[in-house]
Amino acid sequence: MNRFEYTRAETLGAAVGAEGAFLAGGTNLLDLMKIGVAAPDRLVDISHLPLDRIEESAGGLRIGAMVRNADIARDPQVLARYPALAEALLSGASAQLRNAATTGGNVMQATRCSYFQDPLSPCNRREPGSGCGALGGVTRTHAVLGWTEGCIAVHPSDMCVALAAYDAVVEITGPGGLREVAMEEFHPLPDAEGAGAPSLSPGEIITHIRLPDPGPLARHGRYVKLRERTSFAFAIVSAAAALAIEDGVITEARLALGGVAARPWRCRKAEEALKGALATAETFARASELATDGARPSGDNAAKIVLAQRIAARALERAAAGTPDRLPALPASVFAGDDNG
């Protein structure tokens, strides 16, 4: 590990414009430093910033960037109104990591692509212009939507998939003032040269995530994740679904996929097809096909397209059945070895 300077920002003003890498929970950054992928000259500790509250805002919720993942998952308002978000958080990492990881850090976490994490492999995300080592390599977990020859990595977050489905907005403060970006557009898709433009400009910091009022979507929200083991495993494919249903007819629908692209993938065509349709398995099967419109394998991973459709359909079916009064201790998951996938 390289030597670095450490400083602590006690106020938001001290953090904004600061040079260096921001350190909050450290659950991703410190790992990258240990394996030689990240080597910042300066760490700016922002873990003591007063951004650790969940507050009501315009009928919705405003979550501070320093709120721990575990605290969001067990917040009564989140459980009652954004159940897919709570379920997504509970499916991520491990209990120990959820107690340390922050909201802002979860959004900003780096891809878990094994070629990105190997300093000896070419990677346009790590070293622009060096190429994408994953192309032609082991691509089972790589992108099937929105990828280019410059990068086929996926974003690993579970939380962000649910946030995208709920129309969350990222609030950002920087030297140029305040700005907002929809979660579904916050993470850039790769361009021909690599990872695309960075999500944040130098000196900018995420301060809050804002969730609008879910309305009737609150009663029908679920998150389903396909993974290889029950804990501490990233999604092969995941889906967040939320529905509003009246007399068996879908009046509003939200659907987002995870593990398929460099950002949470909002399925707008599927949502439009669901509106006005009966909440049936046949409807959900048709919508799940639209959810992967434009998908293409980036290597030996064509099966991910079918898996994404099945997981999307399952999430919609579970959402239609209604959110349980109490979420299970083990969130809705499907394991890669199951026969029922």
mmCIF file with all atom_site columns, all heavy atoms in Angstrom, residues 110-125:
data_model
loop_
_atom_site.group_PDB
_atom_site.id
_atom_site.type_symbol
_atom_site.label_atom_id
_atom_site.label_alt_id
_atom_site.label_comp_id
_atom_site.label_asym_id
_atom_site.label_entity_id
_atom_site.label_seq_id
_atom_site.pdbx_PDB_ins_code
_atom_site.Cartn_x
_atom_site.Cartn_y
_atom_site.Cartn_z
_atom_site.occupancy
_atom_site.B_iso_or_equiv
_atom_site.pdbx_formal_charge
_atom_site.auth_seq_id
_atom_site.auth_comp_id
_atom_site.auth_asym_id
_atom_site.auth_atom_id
_atom_site.pdbx_PDB_model_num
ATOM 1   N N   . ALA A 1 110 ? -17.219 0.798   -6.534  1.00 0.00 ? 110 ALA A N   1
ATOM 2   C CA  . ALA A 1 110 ? -16.647 0.424   -7.826  1.00 0.00 ? 110 ALA A CA  1
ATOM 3   C C   . ALA A 1 110 ? -17.148 -0.945  -8.258  1.00 0.00 ? 110 ALA A C   1
ATOM 4   O O   . ALA A 1 110 ? -17.620 -1.747  -7.444  1.00 0.00 ? 110 ALA A O   1
ATOM 5   C CB  . ALA A 1 110 ? -15.124 0.408   -7.730  1.00 0.00 ? 110 ALA A CB  1
ATOM 6   N N   . THR A 1 111 ? -17.029 -1.204  -9.550  1.00 0.00 ? 111 THR A N   1
ATOM 7   C CA  . THR A 1 111 ? -17.407 -2.511  -10.077 1.00 0.00 ? 111 THR A CA  1
ATOM 8   C C   . THR A 1 111 ? -16.582 -3.615  -9.433  1.00 0.00 ? 111 THR A C   1
ATOM 9   O O   . THR A 1 111 ? -15.433 -3.402  -9.027  1.00 0.00 ? 111 THR A O   1
ATOM 10  C CB  . THR A 1 111 ? -17.221 -2.549  -11.598 1.00 0.00 ? 111 THR A CB  1
ATOM 11  O OG1 . THR A 1 111 ? -17.568 -3.861  -12.071 1.00 0.00 ? 111 THR A OG1 1
ATOM 12  C CG2 . THR A 1 111 ? -15.770 -2.279  -11.992 1.00 0.00 ? 111 THR A CG2 1
ATOM 13  N N   . ARG A 1 112 ? -17.175 -4.803  -9.342  1.00 0.00 ? 112 ARG A N   1
ATOM 14  C CA  . ARG A 1 112 ? -16.430 -5.965  -8.837  1.00 0.00 ? 112 ARG A CA  1
ATOM 15  C C   . ARG A 1 112 ? -15.878 -6.818  -9.980  1.00 0.00 ? 112 ARG A C   1
ATOM 16  O O   . ARG A 1 112 ? -15.534 -7.969  -9.776  1.00 0.00 ? 112 ARG A O   1
ATOM 17  C CB  . ARG A 1 112 ? -17.341 -6.817  -7.955  1.00 0.00 ? 112 ARG A CB  1
ATOM 18  C CG  . ARG A 1 112 ? -17.408 -6.481  -6.467  1.00 0.00 ? 112 ARG A CG  1
ATOM 19  C CD  . ARG A 1 112 ? -16.983 -5.143  -6.063  1.00 0.00 ? 112 ARG A CD  1
ATOM 20  N NE  . ARG A 1 112 ? -17.067 -4.924  -4.622  1.00 0.00 ? 112 ARG A NE  1
ATOM 21  C CZ  . ARG A 1 112 ? -17.660 -3.884  -4.066  1.00 0.00 ? 112 ARG A CZ  1
ATOM 22  N NH1 . ARG A 1 112 ? -18.224 -2.974  -4.834  1.00 0.00 ? 112 ARG A NH1 1
ATOM 23  N NH2 . ARG A 1 112 ? -17.654 -3.718  -2.759  1.00 0.00 ? 112 ARG A NH2 1
ATOM 24  N N   . CYS A 1 113 ? -15.806 -6.268  -11.176 1.00 0.00 ? 113 CYS A N   1
ATOM 25  C CA  . CYS A 1 113 ? -15.198 -6.988  -12.300 1.00 0.00 ? 113 CYS A CA  1
ATOM 26  C C   . CYS A 1 113 ? -13.805 -7.475  -11.905 1.00 0.00 ? 113 CYS A C   1
ATOM 27  O O   . CYS A 1 113 ? -12.971 -6.694  -11.422 1.00 0.00 ? 113 CYS A O   1
ATOM 28  C CB  . CYS A 1 113 ? -15.109 -6.074  -13.519 1.00 0.00 ? 113 CYS A CB  1
ATOM 29  S SG  . CYS A 1 113 ? -14.154 -6.769  -14.898 1.00 0.00 ? 113 CYS A SG  1
ATOM 30  N N   . SER A 1 114 ? -13.545 -8.766  -12.092 1.00 0.00 ? 114 SER A N   1
ATOM 31  C CA  . SER A 1 114 ? -12.260 -9.334  -11.656 1.00 0.00 ? 114 SER A CA  1
ATOM 32  C C   . SER A 1 114 ? -11.085 -8.759  -12.432 1.00 0.00 ? 114 SER A C   1
ATOM 33  O O   . SER A 1 114 ? -9.957  -8.723  -11.931 1.00 0.00 ? 114 SER A O   1
ATOM 34  C CB  . SER A 1 114 ? -12.287 -10.855 -11.801 1.00 0.00 ? 114 SER A CB  1
ATOM 35  O OG  . SER A 1 114 ? -12.568 -11.236 -13.131 1.00 0.00 ? 114 SER A OG  1
ATOM 36  N N   . TYR A 1 115 ? -11.332 -8.275  -13.637 1.00 0.00 ? 115 TYR A N   1
ATOM 37  C CA  . TYR A 1 115 ? -10.254 -7.683  -14.434 1.00 0.00 ? 115 TYR A CA  1
ATOM 38  C C   . TYR A 1 115 ? -9.943  -6.265  -13.952 1.00 0.00 ? 115 TYR A C   1
ATOM 39  O O   . TYR A 1 115 ? -8.790  -5.836  -13.966 1.00 0.00 ? 115 TYR A O   1
ATOM 40  C CB  . TYR A 1 115 ? -10.624 -7.696  -15.917 1.00 0.00 ? 115 TYR A CB  1
ATOM 41  C CG  . TYR A 1 115 ? -10.816 -9.104  -16.435 1.00 0.00 ? 115 TYR A CG  1
ATOM 42  C CD1 . TYR A 1 115 ? -12.065 -9.718  -16.408 1.00 0.00 ? 115 TYR A CD1 1
ATOM 43  C CD2 . TYR A 1 115 ? -9.731  -9.843  -16.911 1.00 0.00 ? 115 TYR A CD2 1
ATOM 44  C CE1 . TYR A 1 115 ? -12.242 -11.018 -16.852 1.00 0.00 ? 115 TYR A CE1 1
ATOM 45  C CE2 . TYR A 1 115 ? -9.890  -11.147 -17.363 1.00 0.00 ? 115 TYR A CE2 1
ATOM 46  C CZ  . TYR A 1 115 ? -11.150 -11.732 -17.321 1.00 0.00 ? 115 TYR A CZ  1
ATOM 47  O OH  . TYR A 1 115 ? -11.317 -13.028 -17.747 1.00 0.00 ? 115 TYR A OH  1
ATOM 48  N N   . PHE A 1 116 ? -10.966 -5.559  -13.488 1.00 0.00 ? 116 PHE A N   1
ATOM 49  C CA  . PHE A 1 116 ? -10.746 -4.254  -12.857 1.00 0.00 ? 116 PHE A CA  1
ATOM 50  C C   . PHE A 1 116 ? -9.953  -4.416  -11.568 1.00 0.00 ? 116 PHE A C   1
ATOM 51  O O   . PHE A 1 116 ? -9.081  -3.601  -11.239 1.00 0.00 ? 116 PHE A O   1
ATOM 52  C CB  . PHE A 1 116 ? -12.096 -3.596  -12.567 1.00 0.00 ? 116 PHE A CB  1
ATOM 53  C CG  . PHE A 1 116 ? -12.019 -2.379  -11.680 1.00 0.00 ? 116 PHE A CG  1
ATOM 54  C CD1 . PHE A 1 116 ? -11.625 -1.150  -12.175 1.00 0.00 ? 116 PHE A CD1 1
ATOM 55  C CD2 . PHE A 1 116 ? -12.348 -2.475  -10.331 1.00 0.00 ? 116 PHE A CD2 1
ATOM 56  C CE1 . PHE A 1 116 ? -11.549 -0.029  -11.351 1.00 0.00 ? 116 PHE A CE1 1
ATOM 57  C CE2 . PHE A 1 116 ? -12.279 -1.366  -9.499  1.00 0.00 ? 116 PHE A CE2 1
ATOM 58  C CZ  . PHE A 1 116 ? -11.879 -0.136  -10.013 1.00 0.00 ? 116 PHE A CZ  1
ATOM 59  N N   . GLN A 1 117 ? -10.226 -5.481  -10.836 1.00 0.00 ? 117 GLN A N   1
ATOM 60  C CA  . GLN A 1 117 ? -9.579  -5.689  -9.544  1.00 0.00 ? 117 GLN A CA  1
ATOM 61  C C   . GLN A 1 117 ? -8.206  -6.337  -9.651  1.00 0.00 ? 117 GLN A C   1
ATOM 62  O O   . GLN A 1 117 ? -7.544  -6.522  -8.635  1.00 0.00 ? 117 GLN A O   1
ATOM 63  C CB  . GLN A 1 117 ? -10.485 -6.542  -8.655  1.00 0.00 ? 117 GLN A CB  1
ATOM 64  C CG  . GLN A 1 117 ? -11.769 -5.819  -8.255  1.00 0.00 ? 117 GLN A CG  1
ATOM 65  C CD  . GLN A 1 117 ? -12.581 -6.598  -7.238  1.00 0.00 ? 117 GLN A CD  1
ATOM 66  O OE1 . GLN A 1 117 ? -12.641 -7.821  -7.275  1.00 0.00 ? 117 GLN A OE1 1
ATOM 67  N NE2 . GLN A 1 117 ? -13.214 -5.887  -6.324  1.00 0.00 ? 117 GLN A NE2 1
ATOM 68  N N   . ASP A 1 118 ? -7.769  -6.641  -10.839 1.00 0.00 ? 118 ASP A N   1
ATOM 69  C CA  . ASP A 1 118 ? -6.442  -7.220  -11.057 1.00 0.00 ? 118 ASP A CA  1
ATOM 70  C C   . ASP A 1 118 ? -5.535  -6.172  -11.693 1.00 0.00 ? 118 ASP A C   1
ATOM 71  O O   . ASP A 1 118 ? -5.671  -5.872  -12.873 1.00 0.00 ? 118 ASP A O   1
ATOM 72  C CB  . ASP A 1 118 ? -6.546  -8.444  -11.968 1.00 0.00 ? 118 ASP A CB  1
ATOM 73  C CG  . ASP A 1 118 ? -5.184  -9.033  -12.308 1.00 0.00 ? 118 ASP A CG  1
ATOM 74  O OD1 . ASP A 1 118 ? -4.183  -8.650  -11.661 1.00 0.00 ? 118 ASP A OD1 1
ATOM 75  O OD2 . ASP A 1 118 ? -5.117  -9.866  -13.240 1.00 0.00 ? 118 ASP A OD2 1
ATOM 76  N N   . PRO A 1 119 ? -4.612  -5.600  -10.939 1.00 0.00 ? 119 PRO A N   1
ATOM 77  C CA  . PRO A 1 119 ? -3.758  -4.534  -11.492 1.00 0.00 ? 119 PRO A CA  1
ATOM 78  C C   . PRO A 1 119 ? -2.925  -4.964  -12.694 1.00 0.00 ? 119 PRO A C   1
ATOM 79  O O   . PRO A 1 119 ? -2.439  -4.115  -13.446 1.00 0.00 ? 119 PRO A O   1
ATOM 80  C CB  . PRO A 1 119 ? -2.850  -4.171  -10.308 1.00 0.00 ? 119 PRO A CB  1
ATOM 81  C CG  . PRO A 1 119 ? -3.597  -4.604  -9.088  1.00 0.00 ? 119 PRO A CG  1
ATOM 82  C CD  . PRO A 1 119 ? -4.335  -5.838  -9.511  1.00 0.00 ? 119 PRO A CD  1
ATOM 83  N N   . LEU A 1 120 ? -2.776  -6.263  -12.913 1.00 0.00 ? 120 LEU A N   1
ATOM 84  C CA  . LEU A 1 120 ? -1.977  -6.743  -14.042 1.00 0.00 ? 120 LEU A CA  1
ATOM 85  C C   . LEU A 1 120 ? -2.796  -6.899  -15.317 1.00 0.00 ? 120 LEU A C   1
ATOM 86  O O   . LEU A 1 120 ? -2.231  -7.108  -16.393 1.00 0.00 ? 120 LEU A O   1
ATOM 87  C CB  . LEU A 1 120 ? -1.332  -8.094  -13.688 1.00 0.00 ? 120 LEU A CB  1
ATOM 88  C CG  . LEU A 1 120 ? -0.371  -8.086  -12.494 1.00 0.00 ? 120 LEU A CG  1
ATOM 89  C CD1 . LEU A 1 120 ? 0.184   -9.485  -12.255 1.00 0.00 ? 120 LEU A CD1 1
ATOM 90  C CD2 . LEU A 1 120 ? 0.759   -7.090  -12.714 1.00 0.00 ? 120 LEU A CD2 1
ATOM 91  N N   . SER A 1 121 ? -4.118  -6.779  -15.219 1.00 0.00 ? 121 SER A N   1
ATOM 92  C CA  . SER A 1 121 ? -4.983  -6.899  -16.395 1.00 0.00 ? 121 SER A CA  1
ATOM 93  C C   . SER A 1 121 ? -5.287  -5.517  -16.968 1.00 0.00 ? 121 SER A C   1
ATOM 94  O O   . SER A 1 121 ? -5.438  -4.546  -16.210 1.00 0.00 ? 121 SER A O   1
ATOM 95  C CB  . SER A 1 121 ? -6.300  -7.585  -16.024 1.00 0.00 ? 121 SER A CB  1
ATOM 96  O OG  . SER A 1 121 ? -6.088  -8.911  -15.617 1.00 0.00 ? 121 SER A OG  1
ATOM 97  N N   . PRO A 1 122 ? -5.392  -5.404  -18.295 1.00 0.00 ? 122 PRO A N   1
ATOM 98  C CA  . PRO A 1 122 ? -5.796  -4.114  -18.867 1.00 0.00 ? 122 PRO A CA  1
ATOM 99  C C   . PRO A 1 122 ? -7.228  -3.783  -18.462 1.00 0.00 ? 122 PRO A C   1
ATOM 100 O O   . PRO A 1 122 ? -8.089  -4.669  -18.404 1.00 0.00 ? 122 PRO A O   1
ATOM 101 C CB  . PRO A 1 122 ? -5.681  -4.348  -20.373 1.00 0.00 ? 122 PRO A CB  1
ATOM 102 C CG  . PRO A 1 122 ? -5.802  -5.825  -20.542 1.00 0.00 ? 122 PRO A CG  1
ATOM 103 C CD  . PRO A 1 122 ? -5.184  -6.429  -19.322 1.00 0.00 ? 122 PRO A CD  1
ATOM 104 N N   . CYS A 1 123 ? -7.474  -2.523  -18.170 1.00 0.00 ? 123 CYS A N   1
ATOM 105 C CA  . CYS A 1 123 ? -8.815  -2.096  -17.769 1.00 0.00 ? 123 CYS A CA  1
ATOM 106 C C   . CYS A 1 123 ? -8.964  -0.615  -18.035 1.00 0.00 ? 123 CYS A C   1
ATOM 107 O O   . CYS A 1 123 ? -8.222  0.207   -17.463 1.00 0.00 ? 123 CYS A O   1
ATOM 108 C CB  . CYS A 1 123 ? -9.066  -2.393  -16.294 1.00 0.00 ? 123 CYS A CB  1
ATOM 109 S SG  . CYS A 1 123 ? -10.659 -1.782  -15.704 1.00 0.00 ? 123 CYS A SG  1
ATOM 110 N N   . ASN A 1 124 ? -9.912  -0.260  -18.889 1.00 0.00 ? 124 ASN A N   1
ATOM 111 C CA  . ASN A 1 124 ? -10.136 1.146   -19.204 1.00 0.00 ? 124 ASN A CA  1
ATOM 112 C C   . ASN A 1 124 ? -10.674 1.940   -18.024 1.00 0.00 ? 124 ASN A C   1
ATOM 113 O O   . ASN A 1 124 ? -10.500 3.160   -17.961 1.00 0.00 ? 124 ASN A O   1
ATOM 114 C CB  . ASN A 1 124 ? -11.115 1.256   -20.378 1.00 0.00 ? 124 ASN A CB  1
ATOM 115 C CG  . ASN A 1 124 ? -10.477 0.889   -21.699 1.00 0.00 ? 124 ASN A CG  1
ATOM 116 O OD1 . ASN A 1 124 ? -9.312  1.199   -21.954 1.00 0.00 ? 124 ASN A OD1 1
ATOM 117 N ND2 . ASN A 1 124 ? -11.232 0.212   -22.559 1.00 0.00 ? 124 ASN A ND2 1
ATOM 118 N N   . ARG A 1 125 ? -11.329 1.280   -17.089 1.00 0.00 ? 125 ARG A N   1
ATOM 119 C CA  . ARG A 1 125 ? -11.807 1.988   -15.899 1.00 0.00 ? 125 ARG A CA  1
ATOM 120 C C   . ARG A 1 125 ? -10.635 2.378   -14.992 1.00 0.00 ? 125 ARG A C   1
ATOM 121 O O   . ARG A 1 125 ? -10.631 3.447   -14.401 1.00 0.00 ? 125 ARG A O   1
ATOM 122 C CB  . ARG A 1 125 ? -12.784 1.108   -15.110 1.00 0.00 ? 125 ARG A CB  1
ATOM 123 C CG  . ARG A 1 125 ? -14.153 1.001   -15.716 1.00 0.00 ? 125 ARG A CG  1
ATOM 124 C CD  . ARG A 1 125 ? -15.083 0.160   -14.870 1.00 0.00 ? 125 ARG A CD  1
ATOM 125 N NE  . ARG A 1 125 ? -16.415 0.151   -15.454 1.00 0.00 ? 125 ARG A NE  1
ATOM 126 C CZ  . ARG A 1 125 ? -17.375 1.004   -15.152 1.00 0.00 ? 125 ARG A CZ  1
ATOM 127 N NH1 . ARG A 1 125 ? -17.159 1.922   -14.223 1.00 0.00 ? 125 ARG A NH1 1
ATOM 128 N NH2 . ARG A 1 125 ? -18.550 0.944   -15.730 1.00 0.00 ? 125 ARG A NH2 1
#
